[in-house]
């Protein structure tokens, strides 16, 4: 098992014929992901990277059997692409696009809540994220595939390169990953830490979870409450931004300390209180997990 | 992007939200007479137009009863460099002064619209008690704060605005005025793609008017493309260096320390700063060079970092994902040669073809210190920065 993606996932890439879409779809195909369709309005009926291109996501679902969407559409049009995928019946939408206006995302959230209320729950991962990978089975995102290895550690993170760093440390110590989920650095992510922790808790192949957070918002504090109440698997965590000045956006739209809330201290304290193993030094993530989890596995 | 008070209040008035009668903004004390005339008879309030909070306590807001007093105070405020509890030790020069007519205040209230990250929708935050900072009120009397989620596709409905008015005990004759005010404020938030619209204080005057006496509007950066008039104006908060970095596509924030950081990815850039601190040093900046860490971008990043005279060492931390470490190593080399670095350079590469990348750096003959992990790099950068004396003259260790 794994979460979100497996070897049978059939991807449609929205924005396949664009520069980023082409490059990363090619990488996903080389990794072994099943990219069954692309969508570029006006280019329906053509093929690109040997993949059939459709005008609409609905066609990609109907004619190519796509069940996961990967979005590389520019920010002004990305919210619309998410909603198109949701309406077409896609149940997992992974949006890589960075720079979508927050208000557009608030409207997307509202629409997705209506889908859920109507009995058609849709999971959105991102935006502004590296995507999702289940090592050895399916890569739907922009992460370098080779740093991953199949195994028992679930990883969830708000940052791209920080995830690669953590994954690489795990892989280098022989610890593979069940699934790695980048939830993205925006203020209104489609999927929260808590959502992913719940999935990992229910996944038989996940033995422990690495959670990489950063300053801004209250998602880590919310996750701490979930971990305390519901989680039996060990959780390891690193929070970036102990040196970030308040009131400044640290690259990610969501990484900002506002009105004294969302500080590094508040997150670390909440997670510690929930029994999470806090890693202060980023370079020690792999070691911290290996110390405990490799021993556990041998037993 | 943060707007100045008068820009915010211009937006208010354009949407029918009443403010105090205003004489507009002046840049020189000599311009005061025209402003006083426009505002109407005194007394007047003179308000420094700066983006940092706490200006009142620092002397940036004053009342004048006569034109003579107004001129003197205008001259005084326009010469101020404000250091407030929110300015992080920086002195903010006052370049513009807003002249409003003073009003007799009966009551102060608070209303703002912001994004609730947990609920993923905008909310109105309101309180019958205005004038003080909302964060302060949240700490001392959280029960005095009202929160109302809004549907971003619909805006604020009449009954929602009324319910706020009743809870805030808005005087009965002003009920209709308040409903119109609150709906306009929410509409402004939605139309302008704001991340915050705040009126503090919203006052009831002794004459029974409802006025927005102060205004704060933040436009969300990702939505600036929909508001070209403000996109063109530029970010008033950014330093010259930060603006220059932005122009060339670098995500850069200046800090107080002496170790320049050059990293790919925002999260890793933050974690690099944290590691420097953990190793006993202090980062000079946050810098995310982006995904394509090529020679051009690295050169530009070096140039920006070196414009900060405090920098005594540079730490390059790049995770080569899809871009191979060999390509990155060549880029770093080309950039280092072009820029002629005068401070020690610590480089840590990780990822695809890392061994080959390291070899390219080692064989280059360029003086640089290589590191195996971020922690190793942070420690080496801290040591290197300490080896450079205060005059910036290097006593550089031989590359390890």
């Amino acid at each position: 098992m794994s979460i979100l993606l497996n070897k049978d996932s059939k991807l449609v890439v929205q924005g396949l014929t664009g520069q980023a879409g082409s490059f990363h779809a090619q990488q996903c195909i080389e990794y072994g992901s099943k990219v069954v369709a692309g969508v570029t309005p006006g280019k329906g009926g053509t093929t690109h990277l040997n993949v059939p291109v459709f005008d609409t996501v609905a066609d990609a679902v109907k004619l190519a059997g796509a069940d996961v969407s990967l979005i590389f559409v520019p920010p002004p049009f990305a919210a619309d692409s998410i909603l198109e995928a949701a309406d077409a019946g896609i149940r997992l939408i992974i949006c890589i696009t960075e720079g979508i206006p927050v208000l557009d995302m608030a409207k997307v959230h509202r629409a997705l809540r209506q889908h859920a209320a109507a009995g058609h729950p849709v999971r959105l991962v991102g935006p502004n994220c590296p995507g999702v990978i289940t090592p050895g089975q399916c890569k739907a995102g922009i992460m370098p595939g080779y740093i991953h290895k199949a195994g028992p550690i679930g990883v969830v993170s708000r940052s791209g390169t920080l995830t690669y760093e953590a994954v690489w440390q795990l892989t280098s110590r022989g610890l593979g990953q069940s699934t790695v989920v980048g939830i993205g650095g925006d203020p209104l992510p489609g999927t929260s830490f808590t959502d992913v922790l719940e999935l990992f808790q229910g996944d038989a192949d996940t033995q422990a979870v690495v959670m990489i957070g950063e300053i801004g918002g209250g998602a880590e504090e919310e996750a701490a409450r979930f971990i305390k109440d519901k989680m039996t698997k060990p959780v390891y965590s690193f929070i970036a931004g102990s040196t970030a000045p308040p009131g400044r956006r640290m690259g990610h739209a969501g990484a900002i300390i506002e009105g004294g809330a969302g500080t590094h201290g508040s997150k670390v304290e909440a997670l510690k209180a929930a029994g999470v193993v806090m890693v202060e030094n980023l370079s020690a993530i792999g070691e911290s997990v290996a110390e405990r989890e490799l021993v556990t596995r041998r037993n | 992007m943060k707007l100045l008070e008068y820009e915010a209040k211009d937006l208010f008035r354009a949407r029918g939200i009443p403010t105090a009668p205003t004489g507009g903004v002046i840049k020189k004390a000599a311009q005061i007479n025209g402003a006083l005339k426009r505002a109407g008879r005194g007394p007047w309030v003179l308000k420094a137009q700066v983006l940092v909070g706490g200006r009142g306590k620092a002397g940036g807001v004053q009342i004048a009863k006569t034109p003579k007093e107004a001129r003197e105070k205008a001259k005084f405020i326009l010469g101020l460099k404000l250091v407030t509890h929110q300015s992080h030790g920086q002195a903010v020069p006052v370049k513009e002064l807003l002249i409003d007519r003073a009003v007799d205040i009966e009551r102060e209230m608070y209303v703002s619209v912001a994004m609730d990250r947990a609920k993923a929708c905008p909310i109105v935050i309101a309180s019958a008690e205005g004038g003080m900072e909302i964060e302060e009120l949240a700490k001392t009397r959280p029960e005095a704060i009202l929160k109302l989620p809004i549907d971003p596709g619909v805006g604020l409905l009449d009954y929602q605005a009324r319910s706020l008015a009743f809870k805030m005990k808005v005087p009965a004759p002003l009920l209709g005025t308040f409903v119109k005010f609150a709906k306009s404020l929410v509409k402004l938030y939605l139309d302008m793609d704001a991340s915050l619209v705040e009126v503090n204080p919203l006052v009831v005057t002794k004459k029974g008017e409802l006025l927005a006496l102060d205004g704060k509007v933040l436009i969300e950066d990702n939505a600036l493309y929909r508001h070209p008039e403000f996109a063109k104006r530029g970010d008033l908060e950014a330093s010259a260096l930060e603006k220059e970095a932005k122009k060339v596509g670098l995500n850069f924030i200046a800090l107080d320390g002496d170790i320049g950081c050059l990293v790919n990815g925002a999260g890793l850039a933050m974690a690099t700063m944290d590691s420097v601190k953990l190793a006993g040093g202090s980062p000079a900046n946050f810098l995310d060079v982006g995904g394509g860490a090529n020679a051009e971008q690295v050169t530009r990043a070096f140039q920006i970092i070196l414009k900060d005279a405090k920098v005594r060492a540079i730490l390059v931390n790049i995770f080569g994902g899809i871009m191979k470490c060999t390509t990155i190593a060549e880029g770093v080399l080309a950039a280092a040669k072009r820029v002629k670095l005068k401070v020690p350079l610590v480089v840590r590469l990780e990822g695809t073809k890392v061994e080959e990348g390291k070899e390219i750096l080692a064989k280059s003959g360029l003086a640089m210190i290589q590191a195996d992990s971020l922690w190793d790099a942070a420690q080496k950068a801290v040591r290197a920065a300490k080896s450079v004396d205060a005059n910036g003259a290097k006593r550089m260790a031989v590359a390890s």
Side-chain angles (χ1 to χ4, degrees):
Chain A
M1 242 166 67
S2 56
I3 66 167
L4 301 171
L5 294 177
N6 58 39
K7 60 180 172 30
D8 299 321
S9 301
K10 294 187 190 70
L11 309 186
V12 49
V13 177
Q14 291 176 258
L16 175 74
T17 57
Q19 200 188 349
S22 287
F23 179 78
H24 290 292
Q26 182 65 41
Q27 302 271 324
C28 291
I29 293 167
E30 281 168 17
Y31 190 78
S33 308
K34 290 191 175 96
V35 177
V36 299
V39 169
T40 301
K43 292 193 180 167
T46 62
T47 61
H48 186 72
L49 310 174
N50 292 324
V51 173
V53 178
F54 299 94
D55 283 325
T56 66
V57 181
D59 283 349
V61 170
K62 196 166 73 188
L63 303 170
D67 57 13
V68 176
S69 162
L70 183 58
I71 298 180
F72 291 98
V73 171
F77 319 107
D80 184 65
S81 297
I82 296 170
L83 296 178
E84 184 188 352
D87 267 345
I90 296 279
R91 291 290 164 259
L92 173 60
I93 303 168
I94 299 167
C95 184
I96 307 298
T97 310
E98 175 175 6
I100 304 177
V102 176
L103 214 48
D104 290 7
M105 285 313 301
K107 288 173 186 167
V108 165
H109 275 264
R110 169 178 176 261
L112 295 186
R113 280 195 292 266
Q114 285 167 354
H115 274 282
H120 307 290
V122 180
R123 178 170 300 285
L124 168 67
V125 176
N128 189 12
C129 77
V132 181
I133 181 168
T134 293
Q137 298 191 47
C138 183
K139 161 175 135 88
I142 60 173
M143 65 291 278
Y146 78 94
I147 62 171
H148 302 82
K149 165 186 152 91
I153 311 295
V155 179
V156 57
S157 166
R158 277 168 75 182
S159 150
T161 42
L162 209 44
T163 316
Y164 310 160
E165 173 81 39
V167 165
W168 184 245
Q169 287 182 32
L170 293 172
T171 299
S172 304
R173 283 167 182 78
L175 279 162
Q177 304 88 42
S178 53
T179 300
V180 178
V181 186
I183 58 172
D186 266 11
L188 304 187
T191 292
S192 69
F193 277 127
T194 305
D195 295 333
V196 179
L197 289 172
E198 196 170 358
L199 293 173
F200 278 137
Q201 174 66 23
D203 174 37
D205 286 348
T206 301
Q207 170 188 324
V209 180
V210 173
M211 172 179 145
I212 298 166
E214 63 190 28
I215 54 151
E220 290 81 0
E221 287 86 340
E222 182 201 277
R225 287 191 287 279
F226 175 82
I227 292 166
K228 200 171 180 183
D229 295 344
K230 303 271 168 65
M231 196 104 186
T232 56
K233 295 179 183 179
V235 180
Y236 300 80
S237 182
F238 171 82
I239 305 292
S242 65
T243 51
R248 302 299 304 265
R249 230 166 265 284
M250 306 305 287
H252 292 150
I256 178 167
I257 298 167
E258 291 166 301
T263 63
H264 181 265
S266 141
K267 292 170 191 302
V268 169
E269 215 169 282
L271 290 166
K272 254 187 199 161
V276 171
V277 180
M278 294 307 298
V279 184
E280 193 187 6
N281 186 337
L282 178 68
S283 299
I285 288 186
E287 205 178 292
S288 298
V289 181
E291 235 168 51
R292 297 167 181 84
E293 299 305 321
L294 283 176
V295 173
T296 315
R297 280 180 83 200
R298 271 184 224 116
N299 291 344
Chain B
M1 173 186 287
K2 224 186 253 182
L3 304 193
L4 290 162
E5 176 191 0
Y6 77 88
E7 294 176 306
K9 281 154 78 173
D10 283 349
L11 290 175
F12 288 178
R13 280 187 293 271
R15 282 169 173 72
I17 297 171
T19 65
T22 184
V25 165
I26 62 170
K27 290 182 177 169
K28 289 183 185 134
Q31 299 165 325
I32 189 90
N33 285 343
L36 296 181
K37 212 169 278 169
R38 286 191 294 275
R41 67 177 169 74
W44 303 277
V45 190
L46 282 57
K47 305 169 97 174
Q49 296 300 288
V50 288
L51 290 173
V52 58
R55 63 184 172 168
K57 279 180 195 144
V61 178
Q62 307 218 16
I63 297 219
K65 289 193 178 105
T66 64
K68 181 168 175 280
E69 193 187 356
R71 185 176 301 111
E72 281 161 11
K73 288 190 166 166
K75 200 170 173 191
F76 171 77
I77 299 176
L78 281 166
L80 278 179
K81 287 196 168 122
L82 291 178
V83 179
T84 79
H85 69 285
Q86 286 184 25
S87 69
H88 310 297
Q90 306 274 322
V92 183
V94 181
K95 291 178 187 155
E96 292 176 299
L97 186 67
L98 174 66
I99 319 293
D100 276 357
R101 194 155 144 197
V103 295
D104 285 326
I105 297 169
E106 175 78 33
R107 243 190 89 187
E108 295 185 309
M109 297 176 284
Y110 174 96
V111 180
S112 70
V113 192
M115 186 59 70
D116 186 320
R117 291 171 65 159
K119 290 195 173 75
C121 70
I123 51 164
V124 175
I125 303 168
S127 177
E129 300 167 30
M132 66 199 298
E133 280 170 39
I134 195 74
E135 289 89 9
E136 198 51 45
L137 190 63
K139 266 182 228 153
T140 51
R141 299 201 344 94
E143 70 281 3
I145 297 176
L146 305 165
K147 288 183 179 176
L148 180 73
I150 303 161
D151 184 329
V154 176
L156 189 69
L157 297 166
D158 283 34
Y159 82 90
Q160 293 176 310
R162 280 200 304 274
S163 79
L164 282 175
F166 294 133
K167 284 179 191 152
M168 291 164 74
K169 300 200 168 26
V170 171
L174 283 175
L175 182 63
T177 312
F178 179 86
V179 168
K180 193 164 163 274
F181 156 80
K183 289 180 71 172
S184 300
L185 200 70
V186 169
K187 189 157 185 325
L188 169 71
Y189 175 93
L190 297 173
D191 290 349
M192 289 305 297
D193 285 294
S195 50
L196 175 72
V197 172
E198 185 182 67
V199 178
N200 188 23
L202 172 70
V203 303
V204 177
T205 65
K206 290 228 155 79
K207 283 190 206 156
E209 308 151 294
L210 188 76
L211 300 178
L213 272 207
D214 197 353
K216 197 189 268 182
V217 172
L218 270 71
I219 301 177
E220 199 230 330
D221 291 344
N222 284 345
L224 274 174
Y225 72 90
R226 293 202 280 236
H227 307 280
E229 68 282 17
F230 288 106
K232 214 164 57 194
R233 155 189 170 287
D235 184 353
L236 301 177
E237 268 184 308
S239 67
L241 207 52
E242 286 168 4
K243 278 184 198 156
E244 202 181 321
K246 197 174 178 181
K247 251 188 228 158
V248 296
L250 297 170
N251 216 328
F252 173 86
I253 294 172
L255 299 166
D256 295 333
D258 58 5
I259 296 176
C261 300
L262 193 166
V263 189
N264 65 335
L268 193 57
M270 249 193 289
T272 302
M273 288 160 43
D274 298 349
S275 294
V276 165
K277 182 84 183 287
L278 204 59
S282 180
N285 63 274
F286 164 94
L287 193 155
D288 170 10
V289 71
N294 56 25
E296 288 308 310
Q297 281 304 82
V298 176
T299 303
R300 291 188 187 116
F302 277 149
Q303 284 164 343
I304 297 277
I305 290 172
L306 288 171
K307 280 192 182 166
D308 179 351
K310 299 192 304 294
V311 169
R312 292 193 191 166
I314 295 180
L315 193 174
V316 173
N317 180 25
I318 295 183
F319 195 98
I322 284 170
M323 192 173 217
K324 294 181 186 77
C325 285
T326 46
T327 314
I328 294 162
E330 277 156 10
V332 170
L333 272 185
K337 278 178 191 159
R338 234 182 273 173
V339 177
K340 297 199 179 72
L341 292 180
K342 291 192 186 80
V343 296
L345 174 66
V346 179
V347 181
R348 183 262 176 156
L349 299 178
E350 188 59 275
T352 330
K353 298 211 171 183
V354 61
E355 291 313 321
E356 292 92 324
K358 281 180 170 177
E359 208 179 310
I360 290 174
L361 292 179
K363 280 185 179 162
S364 70
L366 204 78
M368 76 170 70
I369 304 162
Q370 288 211 45
D372 292 324
S373 69
L374 172 54
W375 180 232
D376 185 30
Q379 289 176 309
K380 282 176 173 163
V382 171
R383 273 203 300 275
K386 283 181 182 154
S387 76
V388 176
D389 68 28
N391 300 322
K394 56 179 174 174
R395 278 185 268 120
M396 211 173 130
V398 183
S400 62

